[in-house]
Amino acid sequence: NGALFVNGANNGLGGLTVVSNAQIWGSGSVAGAVAVQSGGIIGARYGITNAGVTLTMPSLTLDNGAIIGGYLNGTNPTVRVSGALGLTTAASNLVQIIPSAPVSVGTYPLIAYFPPLIGGSGEGGLVLGALPNGASGFLTNDSLNGLVSLVITNAGDGLIWLGSATN
Protein backbone atom coordinates (compact mmCIF):
# COMPACT_ATOMS: atom_id res chain seq x y z
CA ASN A 1 0.00 0.00 0.00
CA GLY A 2 1.19 3.48 -0.72
CA ALA A 3 1.30 6.27 -3.26
CA LEU A 4 3.96 7.71 -5.51
CA PHE A 5 3.39 11.31 -6.60
CA VAL A 6 5.37 12.37 -9.67
CA ASN A 7 6.03 16.05 -10.27
CA GLY A 8 8.14 16.99 -13.29
CA ALA A 9 10.67 14.75 -15.05
CA ASN A 10 11.78 11.80 -12.92
CA ASN A 11 14.57 10.23 -14.94
CA GLY A 12 15.82 8.17 -12.02
CA LEU A 13 12.66 6.10 -11.79
CA GLY A 14 13.15 2.75 -13.51
CA GLY A 15 10.39 0.27 -14.17
CA LEU A 16 7.48 0.59 -11.76
CA THR A 17 4.84 -1.95 -10.76
CA VAL A 18 1.72 -0.56 -9.11
CA VAL A 19 0.25 -3.36 -7.00
CA SER A 20 -3.28 -3.66 -5.61
CA ASN A 21 -4.14 -0.78 -3.24
CA ALA A 22 -1.11 1.22 -4.40
CA GLN A 23 -1.17 4.36 -6.55
CA ILE A 24 0.93 6.43 -8.93
CA TRP A 25 -0.25 9.99 -9.64
CA GLY A 26 1.39 12.98 -11.14
CA SER A 27 1.89 15.74 -13.62
CA GLY A 28 5.21 14.76 -15.05
CA SER A 29 7.05 11.80 -16.46
CA VAL A 30 8.81 8.61 -15.40
CA ALA A 31 11.72 7.13 -17.38
CA GLY A 32 10.78 3.46 -17.03
CA ALA A 33 7.91 1.19 -17.99
CA VAL A 34 4.85 1.17 -15.72
CA ALA A 35 2.70 -1.88 -14.99
CA VAL A 36 -0.57 -1.50 -13.09
CA GLN A 37 -1.89 -4.68 -11.49
CA SER A 38 -5.52 -5.35 -10.58
CA GLY A 39 -6.58 -2.87 -7.91
CA GLY A 40 -3.66 -0.52 -8.61
CA ILE A 41 -4.41 3.09 -9.54
CA ILE A 42 -2.78 5.37 -12.11
CA GLY A 43 -3.76 8.95 -12.83
CA ALA A 44 -2.91 12.59 -13.15
CA ARG A 45 -2.98 14.73 -9.98
CA TYR A 46 -5.87 13.00 -8.24
CA GLY A 47 -7.84 15.20 -5.88
CA ILE A 48 -6.43 18.44 -7.27
CA THR A 49 -8.77 20.43 -9.47
CA ASN A 50 -6.15 21.16 -12.07
CA ALA A 51 -7.25 20.43 -15.62
CA GLY A 52 -4.81 19.63 -18.36
CA VAL A 53 -2.11 17.70 -16.48
CA THR A 54 -0.73 14.40 -17.79
CA LEU A 55 1.41 11.57 -16.39
CA THR A 56 3.81 10.32 -19.10
CA MET A 57 5.78 7.06 -19.38
CA PRO A 58 7.47 5.10 -22.20
CA SER A 59 5.23 2.05 -21.86
CA LEU A 60 2.20 1.04 -19.80
CA THR A 61 0.72 -2.37 -19.08
CA LEU A 62 -2.76 -2.49 -17.53
CA ASP A 63 -3.87 -5.76 -15.93
CA ASN A 64 -7.54 -6.65 -15.66
CA GLY A 65 -8.97 -4.49 -12.85
CA ALA A 66 -6.47 -1.65 -13.19
CA ILE A 67 -7.96 1.71 -12.20
CA ILE A 68 -7.49 4.98 -14.08
CA GLY A 69 -8.32 8.16 -12.20
CA GLY A 70 -7.95 11.82 -12.77
CA TYR A 71 -9.47 15.15 -13.53
CA LEU A 72 -11.93 14.71 -16.40
CA ASN A 73 -12.43 18.37 -17.27
CA GLY A 74 -9.17 18.82 -19.11
CA THR A 75 -8.33 18.55 -22.77
CA ASN A 76 -5.09 16.64 -22.19
CA PRO A 77 -5.06 12.88 -21.62
CA THR A 78 -4.72 11.61 -18.06
CA VAL A 79 -1.92 9.25 -19.15
CA ARG A 80 0.45 9.52 -22.13
CA VAL A 81 2.42 6.49 -23.31
CA SER A 82 5.28 7.81 -25.42
CA GLY A 83 7.29 4.73 -26.41
CA ALA A 84 7.04 2.42 -29.41
CA LEU A 85 6.14 -0.55 -27.16
CA GLY A 86 3.16 1.53 -26.11
CA LEU A 87 0.07 0.40 -24.28
CA THR A 88 -0.61 -3.25 -23.45
CA THR A 89 -3.86 -4.39 -21.91
CA ALA A 90 -5.33 -7.66 -20.70
CA ALA A 91 -7.73 -9.47 -23.06
CA SER A 92 -10.64 -8.10 -21.05
CA ASN A 93 -9.50 -5.20 -18.93
CA LEU A 94 -12.02 -3.56 -16.60
CA VAL A 95 -11.08 0.10 -16.21
CA GLN A 96 -12.64 1.99 -13.33
CA ILE A 97 -12.75 5.76 -13.70
CA ILE A 98 -12.28 7.78 -10.51
CA PRO A 99 -13.02 11.42 -11.31
CA SER A 100 -11.76 14.00 -8.84
CA ALA A 101 -14.74 16.26 -9.58
CA PRO A 102 -18.34 15.72 -10.74
CA VAL A 103 -18.48 14.63 -14.38
CA SER A 104 -20.13 16.67 -17.14
CA VAL A 105 -21.41 15.54 -20.52
CA GLY A 106 -18.50 15.58 -22.96
CA THR A 107 -15.50 13.70 -24.32
CA TYR A 108 -12.42 13.33 -22.15
CA PRO A 109 -9.07 11.95 -23.37
CA LEU A 110 -7.81 9.25 -21.00
CA ILE A 111 -4.82 7.53 -22.59
CA ALA A 112 -2.71 8.78 -25.47
CA TYR A 113 -0.43 6.07 -26.87
CA PHE A 114 1.93 5.34 -29.71
CA PRO A 115 -0.07 2.91 -31.92
CA PRO A 116 -0.77 0.07 -31.90
CA LEU A 117 -2.61 -0.74 -28.69
CA ILE A 118 -1.67 -4.34 -27.82
CA GLY A 119 -4.31 -6.67 -26.39
CA GLY A 120 -8.04 -7.18 -26.43
CA SER A 121 -10.38 -6.08 -29.18
CA GLY A 122 -12.61 -3.05 -29.77
CA GLU A 123 -11.26 -0.51 -27.30
CA GLY A 124 -8.17 -2.67 -26.85
CA GLY A 125 -9.86 -4.86 -24.28
CA LEU A 126 -10.64 -1.83 -22.11
CA VAL A 127 -14.08 -2.14 -20.54
CA LEU A 128 -15.61 0.80 -18.70
CA GLY A 129 -16.70 0.09 -15.14
CA ALA A 130 -19.59 1.81 -13.37
CA LEU A 131 -19.42 5.60 -13.39
CA PRO A 132 -20.20 7.59 -10.23
CA ASN A 133 -23.57 9.09 -9.28
CA GLY A 134 -25.57 7.49 -12.08
CA ALA A 135 -23.49 8.94 -14.91
CA SER A 136 -23.32 6.97 -18.15
CA GLY A 137 -20.92 6.84 -21.04
CA PHE A 138 -18.59 4.69 -23.07
CA LEU A 139 -14.96 4.38 -24.16
CA THR A 140 -13.70 5.09 -27.67
CA ASN A 141 -10.39 4.12 -29.21
CA ASP A 142 -8.99 6.20 -32.05
CA SER A 143 -6.44 3.58 -33.14
CA LEU A 144 -5.13 5.73 -36.00
CA ASN A 145 -4.10 8.58 -33.68
CA GLY A 146 -3.57 6.49 -30.54
CA LEU A 147 -6.15 7.93 -28.16
CA VAL A 148 -8.58 6.23 -25.76
CA SER A 149 -11.29 8.65 -24.63
CA LEU A 150 -14.22 8.56 -22.23
CA VAL A 151 -17.48 9.90 -23.65
CA ILE A 152 -19.96 10.96 -20.93
CA THR A 153 -23.50 10.91 -22.36
CA ASN A 154 -25.37 11.53 -19.08
CA ALA A 155 -23.80 13.32 -16.11
CA GLY A 156 -26.10 11.60 -13.62
CA ASP A 157 -27.01 13.12 -10.28
CA GLY A 158 -23.73 14.93 -9.62
CA LEU A 159 -23.06 15.62 -5.96
CA ILE A 160 -25.82 14.96 -3.44
CA TRP A 161 -25.80 16.92 -0.16
CA LEU A 162 -26.78 14.70 2.77
CA GLY A 163 -26.37 17.28 5.52
CA SER A 164 -28.91 19.69 6.90
CA ALA A 165 -29.74 23.06 5.33
CA THR A 166 -27.48 24.83 7.87
CA ASN A 167 -24.29 22.76 7.57
Side-chain angles (χ1 to χ4, degrees), residues 83-142:
L85 294 179
L87 175 62
T88 303
T89 65
S92 177
N93 189 329
L94 177 64
V95 176
Q96 294 290 331
I97 305 299
I98 305 174
S100 58
V103 297
S104 299
V105 172
T107 300
Y108 303 97
L110 291 179
I111 305 171
Y113 62 93
F114 189 83
L117 188 152
I118 302 166
S121 62
E123 276 53 80
L126 300 174
V127 177
L128 182 61
L131 292 169
N133 301 321
S136 58
F138 57 92
L139 294 172
T140 64
N141 178 27
D142 177 350

Side-chain angles (χ1 to χ4, degrees), residues 53-77:
V53 296
T54 301
L55 180 61
T56 302
M57 72 250 9
S59 68
L60 173 64
T61 300
L62 297 172
D63 287 349
N64 190 37
I67 300 169
I68 297 174
Y71 192 69
L72 296 179
N73 288 331
T75 56
N76 291 341

